[in-house]
Amino acid sequence: MTTTTIVRPTDPTLRAALKLAALFAAIKLLLQFVLTLWTTHLGYGYFRDEFYYLACGHHLAWGFVDHGPIVALQARLGEMLFGNSIFGIRVLSALAGAATVFLTGLLVWAMGGRGSGQALAMFAILLTPQYIGVDGFLSMNSFEPVFWMVCTLAICMMLRNGKPWLWWTIFGVSAGVGLLNKPSMTFFLIAVGLGLLCTRQRRVLWSGGTLMGIALMVAIALPNVVWQIHNHWPTLEFLRNGREGGKNTVLDPLHFFLAQFAMLGPLNILVWMVGLVSLLRAKSIREGRWLGLAYVFFYVIMDAMHAKDYYLESIYPALFAAGGVAWERRYALSRWVFEERLVGFPVLEGLLLVTGLLILPMASPVLPPAQWVSYTHAMRLRSVKDETMSTGPLPQFFADRFGWNEEVDTVVRAYRTLTPEEQKRVCIFGGDYGLAGAIDFLGPREQPGLPPAISGQNSYWMWGTHGCDANVAIAVVSDSKAELETKYESTQYIGKITSPWAMPFEQHRGVWVLRGRKPTAPFHWVDERFYY
């Protein structure tokens, strides 16, 4: 007879921390599932970028023009494991959100905190609008805090109890995969390095395993660098075009700072700011100054680069964790509170819950569009615009979930007006990756055999024309009939999106059937490239 030995953590505080972190992670997962099902029930559909990431998932590569390869892999795995429903493609993002909550709980323990500090930090994370939003759709932003917090936990554990070879290995793998996820990981690593070098915690840099961890990180990220070189650095061209074209909203230092409150929730400053101060003072968290300085360095870098305000989102779980420890030690809670009570700060957590519920519609569209508009006007709630494009009654994050089925239905209707011979060679042109992605994802459901869409924007341009004939085209564009007649002999208007909740520029786009490309306007695919 054989026996099975179950290995459990020898530290009883770690066992308790793991159990509590797992509980809050399960609550987070359930919350995201419920929100996805409810918002889908209200009529909010796929988000624009989700179509694009799903398309990238069918063109897996070591790099893409405007994002790393991890989100494409995330999209493909989600589709394969859970199906291509709205709920199915968002499961992995919800799991990433749960992992972030779990890691926040472990960071509290690694910094010396216990149950009440864990509960406060994870409760605040659960109610943070930014995390509710990014964990509620298919995006690389949902996984970014996971990679950052694994690196942070690795350093905290080396400072706590050594084992540098183990934790530098974990650090290297997480940092490498994080670099494949988003290039912003680079600036986080720079900030962490500066934070360590400026404090006595720099000793972890000279411990065994540092070079191995760095080598692992470089080896994992290197294929993306090779891809960039092979394709002439398309991401740098994308970033340059966005900067020169004024794509993103540029915030002055004051508004950049104030945007952090909107992103994290106004009262959550009572947790994360307390955490930042405690890290910098290095009294309640003696080995934490490096992390406080890392945040300061990262904040300054992002502000100087005029980055989007939400680019800081992935570093905040560490500050929430530190805030939980600081609150716990400031009030010197009794052993009974640590071990028997789940919530150690009922007044503070009650305030966080009330404000979190009040601003929940800004993070997730839990109200029908008309009611959402009325509610936010009554409450004087406004979303921060990350891009300069004009919006309608709904912010872009919600408006980009409307109009896609109508658009694809119109494209299919246009396709059915073609002769069988034309259908074999037609070019279906989407003005941007969202339009092209929607056609590729939804189109075959309506019309089996519908040719793949083409677009000149970002990675869609790299995938080419699939051999279509530009002399017969279905175009979803905002061009006028007169403009199209300069390129084609025949122009036939089919229809347009009429949803009042879609982005305004989408409502100005028409679906056209175009025939006979004019010799005076020859079609060259290289001229269609638009990295933006």
Side-chain angles (χ1 to χ4, degrees), residues 224-460:
N224 179 252
V225 177
V226 174
W227 182 91
Q228 293 284 345
I229 295 172
H230 179 73
N231 290 281
H232 311 292
W233 299 97
T235 299
L236 293 182
E237 181 180 341
F238 164 79
L239 294 173
R240 183 177 64 251
N241 291 344
R243 182 176 62 254
E244 295 175 352
K247 176 182 178 181
N248 299 327
T249 301
V250 177
L251 299 175
D252 59 59
L254 175 60
H255 287 91
F256 187 77
F257 176 72
L258 294 176
Q260 305 305 304
F261 295 88
M263 176 177 72
L264 300 172
L267 287 188
N268 272 337
I269 191 175
L270 298 175
V271 183
W272 67 263
M273 184 61 79
V274 169
L276 175 60
V277 172
S278 68
L279 289 171
L280 293 173
R281 293 183 66 199
K283 291 185 177 180
S284 59
I285 306 175
R286 296 188 180 278
E287 297 278 20
R289 182 167 289 160
W290 72 272
L291 185 53
L293 287 177
Y295 171 81
V296 172
F297 285 129
F298 186 69
Y299 182 97
V300 171
I301 292 171
M302 291 296 100
D303 191 20
M305 294 178 62
H306 300 296
K308 294 181 180 180
D309 59 284
Y310 70 81
Y311 281 11
L312 279 80
E313 69 178 26
S314 300
I315 201 170
Y316 282 107
L319 302 192
F320 278 108
V325 176
W327 273 86
E328 182 180 84
R329 292 183 175 175
R330 171 67 178 82
Y331 289 96
L333 297 182
S334 68
R335 181 179 176 84
W336 177 78
V337 173
F338 283 168
E339 295 185 353
E340 303 297 335
R341 292 181 60 188
L342 180 64
V343 179
F345 308 95
V347 175
L348 175 58
E349 287 160 342
L351 290 173
L352 294 178
L353 177 61
V354 170
T355 56
L357 291 175
L358 288 174
I359 63 177
L360 178 60
M362 302 301 294
S364 180
V366 294
L367 298 173
Q371 293 181 21
W372 187 94
V373 172
S374 299
Y375 178 81
T376 53
H377 284 178
M379 297 294 292
R380 299 184 182 276
L381 297 172
R382 295 180 58 189
S383 59
V384 178
K385 289 181 62 177
D386 296 313
E387 299 187 352
T388 53
M389 69 181 74
S390 61
T391 58
L394 294 178
Q396 183 255 342
F397 186 49
F398 297 160
D400 266 342
R401 307 180 191 214
F402 287 94
W404 304 115
N405 286 298
E406 183 181 5
E407 175 214 45
V408 172
D409 287 345
T410 308
V411 169
V412 169
R413 186 152 44 92
Y415 179 77
R416 290 171 178 169
T417 66
L418 305 178
T419 65
E421 179 59 31
E422 289 175 329
Q423 289 179 351
K424 294 178 181 178
R425 56 191 181 93
V426 63
C427 291
I428 302 179
F429 185 81
D432 59 52
Y433 64 65
L435 293 168
I439 294 168
D440 281 343
F441 185 76
L442 300 173
R445 301 181 183 184
E446 298 289 329
Q447 179 64 53
L450 187 73
I454 64 173
S455 175
Q457 189 179 22
N458 298 349
S459 294
Y460 255 98

Side-chain angles (χ1 to χ4, degrees), residues 36-356:
T36 294
L37 292 171
W38 175 246
T39 55
T40 304
H41 170 73
L42 293 179
Y44 293 88
Y46 294 91
F47 181 61
R48 172 191 299 274
D49 291 359
E50 289 178 317
F51 291 123
Y52 180 45
Y53 299 145
L54 287 164
C56 292
H58 288 269
H59 297 82
L60 291 176
W62 279 110
F64 297 88
V65 172
D66 49 343
H67 59 79
I70 295 299
V71 71
L73 182 61
Q74 175 188 347
R76 191 71 187 118
L77 287 175
E79 194 175 9
M80 292 171 62
L81 295 174
F82 308 108
N84 57 16
S85 67
I86 294 176
F87 181 87
I89 66 170
R90 295 176 180 175
V91 168
L92 291 179
S93 287
L95 287 169
T100 298
V101 172
F102 183 82
L103 288 167
T104 302
L106 288 189
L107 277 171
V108 173
W109 173 82
M111 294 178 188
R114 296 297 180 264
S116 58
Q118 273 190 288
L120 176 60
M122 292 187 289
F123 190 72
I125 287 282
L126 281 174
L127 297 172
T128 300
Q130 182 67 15
Y131 301 128
I132 292 174
V134 300
D135 297 336
F137 75 110
L138 172 59
S139 167
M140 77 285 285
N141 294 324
S142 59
F143 273 91
E144 188 177 45
V146 176
F147 301 126
W148 291 27
M149 289 307 102
V150 169
C151 290
T152 304
L153 180 63
I155 295 175
C156 288
M157 292 303 295
M158 282 188 277
L159 292 169
R160 178 186 173 101
N161 61 7
K163 298 183 180 179
W165 286 94
L166 169 64
W167 289 108
W168 272 119
T169 300
I170 293 172
F171 182 98
V173 172
S174 183
V177 178
L179 287 168
L180 292 178
N181 185 60
K182 282 189 73 175
S184 53
M185 183 82 185
T186 304
F187 301 103
F188 169 72
L189 293 172
I190 292 172
V192 166
L194 291 173
L196 288 170
L197 288 171
C198 291
T199 62
R200 62 187 180 88
Q201 287 81 44
R202 69 178 70 89
R203 67 182 184 273
V204 303
L205 295 174
W206 322 130
S207 61
T210 306
L211 292 179
M212 182 190 66
I214 294 173
L216 274 173
M217 175 186 70
V218 172
I220 292 172
L222 186 60
N224 179 252
V225 177
V226 174
W227 182 91
Q228 293 284 345
I229 295 172
H230 179 73
N231 290 281
H232 311 292
W233 299 97
T235 299
L236 293 182
E237 181 180 341
F238 164 79
L239 294 173
R240 183 177 64 251
N241 291 344
R243 182 176 62 254
E244 295 175 352
K247 176 182 178 181
N248 299 327
T249 301
V250 177
L251 299 175
D252 59 59
L254 175 60
H255 287 91
F256 187 77
F257 176 72
L258 294 176
Q260 305 305 304
F261 295 88
M263 176 177 72
L264 300 172
L267 287 188
N268 272 337
I269 191 175
L270 298 175
V271 183
W272 67 263
M273 184 61 79
V274 169
L276 175 60
V277 172
S278 68
L279 289 171
L280 293 173
R281 293 183 66 199
K283 291 185 177 180
S284 59
I285 306 175
R286 296 188 180 278
E287 297 278 20
R289 182 167 289 160
W290 72 272
L291 185 53
L293 287 177
Y295 171 81
V296 172
F297 285 129
F298 186 69
Y299 182 97
V300 171
I301 292 171
M302 291 296 100
D303 191 20
M305 294 178 62
H306 300 296
K308 294 181 180 180
D309 59 284
Y310 70 81
Y311 281 11
L312 279 80
E313 69 178 26
S314 300
I315 201 170
Y316 282 107
L319 302 192
F320 278 108
V325 176
W327 273 86
E328 182 180 84
R329 292 183 175 175
R330 171 67 178 82
Y331 289 96
L333 297 182
S334 68
R335 181 179 176 84
W336 177 78
V337 173
F338 283 168
E339 295 185 353
E340 303 297 335
R341 292 181 60 188
L342 180 64
V343 179
F345 308 95
V347 175
L348 175 58
E349 287 160 342
L351 290 173
L352 294 178
L353 177 61
V354 170
T355 56

